[in-house]
Amino acid sequence: MINRWIIFTICMLAGGGLGFWARTANGLTFGLGVGLALGALAWLVIDSFYVSRLLRWLRTEQNNDTPAVMTGAAPNLPGVWREIVDRTRRLLKHRDQQLRESQARLDEFLAAMQASPSGVVLLDAQGRIEWCNHMATQHFGFDAQRDVLQHIANLVREPAFSAYMAAGNFSHDVLIPGNFSTPARPVKLSVHVHSYGKDRKLLLSRDITAVELAEAMRRDFVANVSHEIRTPLTVLSGFIETLQTLPLKEPERARYLSLMAQQSQRMQTLVNDLLTLSRLEGSPFPGASDWMTISALMAQCEQEAKALSLVIAPRGHQLEFDQGPNSEVAGVQTELYSAMSNLVTNAVRYTPEGGLVSVSWTLLEDGRGEFKVRDTGPGIAREHLPRLTERFYRIDRSRSRETGGTGLGLAIVKHVAQRHGAELHIQSELGQGSCFSIIFPAVRVRRIQAA
Ligand code: ADP
């Protein structure tokens, strides 16, 4: 400040001196007056020069688009102006630092919102989109840039959503079809709005297609199991009632008891298959360190096939078992046997009396091993093939039940194959018999020397 006074004093003294030196006919007073005025003018010019340099620098800083960086070099001014420049520069630096920090925080926050598995949309008080994350653009088909400040009601025209927004009761969510939903591939979204700030809204969307599908499958499964158990239970309780109320002769009693035994056997098979399935789903994948000989597994299947054939077909079937080269397969013995025996018993059950069922094991050129079951049964129409491994899917319900089927056999086979890294192939044509094969990967198959 002193500096400014000194410059002012120097200007005035110089002006006064000049006036004194140049005093004219108008006298000393006039000369001094003019001199002092000139001195004051000179001071004003010098001061204005410093002010203009300061202002130019400040304007450059203000127009700077990248606030995190200070542009134009600070002017080198004397005295009080230097202090003003220094203090302003420090203030600007502090502001830049703060801006940089809050920008970084905002970036992190937005990155977290982007990473959210839910769709996130921020709406202003008028219901216009302020910001949305990538997931929301997928759920609703928004364009994150173009649709900013668009009214959400103009972009999401689902009637259920419009009614939800109009009602303003956001204590629950609303279910609407997603952007790419088609009748063939329905996509279901759960949308929930939360109010925050001053009339602002946070809209969260979640794709619940898979959850809904799992829930529908669970419902179907429970309904199927109940149905499968209810039928033999009804038959059983009917027989029990008859036995309790009617004085039956011995042969009749024996016949009823045998039918009851059949029904309870059916329930037992169903429960066993259900337990097998749940064990397969719940247990860790089998390792590849326990090796089973194919010949032993096939011998077991052969015995079972012969016994079953005798029970269901008095004239029996032609059964061919080719154990192929001596080999071993790595996995869980009970699972492998269950898968193989399901294919073999299916072939026997669905092939009419006298038909041919041939079972073989071969080593393929690339080291994989193929377990194949062919039959000369009725064959399967093409449209059923993709659904055969679904639980309780049957083409001929009565034939399945007559022969003790549960509708879970091929689902078990598929699970076991998947758990062992194997593939299940089904080839069949109506009237042409069927061919089911499990192809094991080379890492789980090895050839062994004959003893
Ligand atoms: P199920 O206990 O009913 O046999 P599966 O899951 O083993 O249940 O088989 C599903 C359906 O596939 C069967 O109901 C049957 O209609 C059909 N199927 C399975 N194997 C054969 C086969 N070898 N020949 C003809 N149809 C078959």
Side-chain angles (χ1 to χ4, degrees):
M1 202 65 192
I2 299 252
N3 208 299
R4 214 161 168 230
W5 277 110
I6 292 172
I7 293 176
F8 181 73
T9 313
I10 292 172
C11 284
M12 295 311 274
L13 283 175
L18 194 70
F20 180 75
W21 176 71
R23 61 187 181 282
T24 56
N26 293 328
L28 179 64
T29 317
F30 180 75
L32 275 176
V34 171
L36 286 174
L38 279 175
L41 191 67
W43 176 83
L44 198 64
V45 168
I46 292 170
D47 210 59
S48 301
F49 171 69
Y50 292 150
V51 170
S52 78
R53 283 189 65 189
L54 181 66
L55 273 178
R56 199 170 335 126
W57 174 63
L58 284 177
R59 280 188 195 124
T60 321
E61 286 306 327
Q62 198 179 14
N63 293 338
N64 179 11
D65 281 341
T66 48
V69 185
M70 278 178 62
T71 49
N76 189 10
L77 302 177
V80 68
W81 299 108
R82 174 170 297 157
E83 192 180 337
I84 291 176
V85 166
D86 282 347
R87 284 185 185 281
T88 313
R89 194 170 40 199
R90 251 176 272 146
L91 271 175
L92 283 175
K93 241 187 181 159
H94 185 64
R95 179 205 66 173
D96 287 352
Q97 177 72 19
Q98 275 185 333
L99 275 174
R100 246 200 311 265
E101 279 171 13
S102 45
Q103 185 66 42
R105 266 202 301 274
L106 183 67
D107 287 349
E108 266 171 32
F109 178 71
L110 290 182
M113 301 257 266
Q114 282 293 12
S116 160
S118 301
V120 181
V121 186
L122 302 182
L123 300 173
D124 67 10
Q126 280 74 46
R128 292 175 306 188
I129 297 174
E130 286 189 317
W131 185 87
C132 63
N133 71 351
H134 180 62
M135 196 50 87
T137 62
Q138 286 191 341
H139 285 170
F140 299 104
F142 296 156
D143 183 317
Q145 257 97 53
R146 190 196 58 209
D147 292 334
V148 167
L149 289 184
Q150 289 290 319
H151 208 287
I152 187 130
N154 294 336
L155 300 174
V156 184
R157 294 183 169 273
E158 204 46 48
F161 179 76
S162 308
Y164 176 71
M165 292 302 277
N169 176 7
F170 303 132
S171 58
H172 59 94
D173 61 347
V174 60
L175 302 187
I176 60 169
N179 184 34
F180 295 115
S181 187
T182 59
R185 283 193 78 239
V187 177
K188 213 161 213 181
L189 295 181
S190 151
V191 179
H192 204 158
V193 171
H194 303 267
S195 299
Y196 75 99
K198 204 162 179 291
D199 288 342
R200 282 167 187 277
K201 289 178 190 74
L202 168 74
L203 184 151
L204 297 177
S205 59
R206 219 158 37 91
D207 188 339
I208 54 160
T209 316
V211 180
E212 290 267 300
L213 205 70
E215 179 57 21
M217 277 170 71
R218 192 193 62 77
R219 274 198 304 267
D220 283 358
F221 183 70
V222 172
N224 274 321
V225 172
S226 317
H227 177 78
E228 293 293 329
I229 288 183
R230 198 176 50 208
T231 317
L233 260 184
T234 315
V235 178
L236 262 182
S237 53
F239 282 141
I240 291 171
E241 211 178 296
T242 312
L243 287 173
Q244 280 173 333
T245 50
L246 294 180
L248 297 172
K249 295 207 176 83
E250 198 44 45
E252 270 176 323
R253 273 178 72 86
R255 196 167 69 83
Y256 279 17
L257 283 173
S258 129
L259 288 170
M260 285 165 73
Q262 252 178 37
Q263 295 303 324
S264 68
Q265 175 63 40
R266 195 175 138 191
M267 282 199 288
Q268 203 163 0
T269 316
L270 176 71
V271 171
N272 285 343
D273 277 0
L274 285 171
L275 285 174
T276 306
L277 260 183
S278 89
R279 257 197 306 270
L280 289 177
E281 282 174 349
S283 57
F285 274 37
S289 51
D290 295 338
W291 294 87
M292 323 292 139
T293 54
I294 290 292
S295 53
L297 287 166
M298 282 180 70
Q300 256 181 301
C301 291
E302 189 172 353
Q303 266 182 8
E304 198 182 4
K306 279 181 181 159
L308 179 68
S309 172
L310 283 177
V311 173
I312 61 170
R315 280 201 297 121
H317 295 86
Q318 302 173 58
L319 301 174
E320 286 179 4
F321 278 78
D322 174 6
Q323 296 182 355
N326 270 329
S327 348
E328 286 182 328
V329 61
V332 180
Q333 200 266 345
T334 47
E335 291 185 19
L336 292 170
Y337 173 65
S338 160
M340 290 175 170
S341 101
N342 259 305
L343 293 186
V344 174
T345 51
N346 271 0
V348 174
R349 282 164 51 219
Y350 293 104
T351 303
E353 236 179 347
L356 172 67
V357 172
S358 48
V359 183
S360 63
W361 169 259
T362 33
L363 286 179
L364 304 180
E365 275 179 7
D366 56 8
R368 293 183 300 162
E370 181 176 26
F371 175 79
K372 193 188 295 185
V373 182
R374 278 179 183 283
D375 65 55
T376 54
I380 302 162
R382 186 181 297 254
E383 68 267 23
H384 294 297
L385 293 179
R387 299 196 57 191
L388 280 189
T389 54
E390 284 177 23
R391 294 160 187 201
F392 297 112
Y393 189 83
R394 289 146 158 156
I395 303 163
D396 184 346
R397 219 159 250 281
S398 59
R399 175 100 185 111
S400 162
R401 290 226 178 88
E402 267 169 34
T403 55
T406 58
L408 297 172
L410 289 181
I412 292 176
V413 176
K414 190 182 89 176
H415 261 82
V416 172
Q418 276 176 350
R419 285 165 55 79
H420 287 79
E423 295 159 21
L424 170 66
H425 293 275
I426 308 174
Q427 285 169 340
S428 188
E429 257 180 68
L430 215 49
Q432 303 288 312
S434 312
C435 176
F436 290 76
S437 65
I438 306 176
I439 301 183
F440 292 92
V443 285
R444 285 191 179 265
V445 175
R446 72 181 180 197
R447 205 185 172 126
I448 46 167
Q449 296 304 318

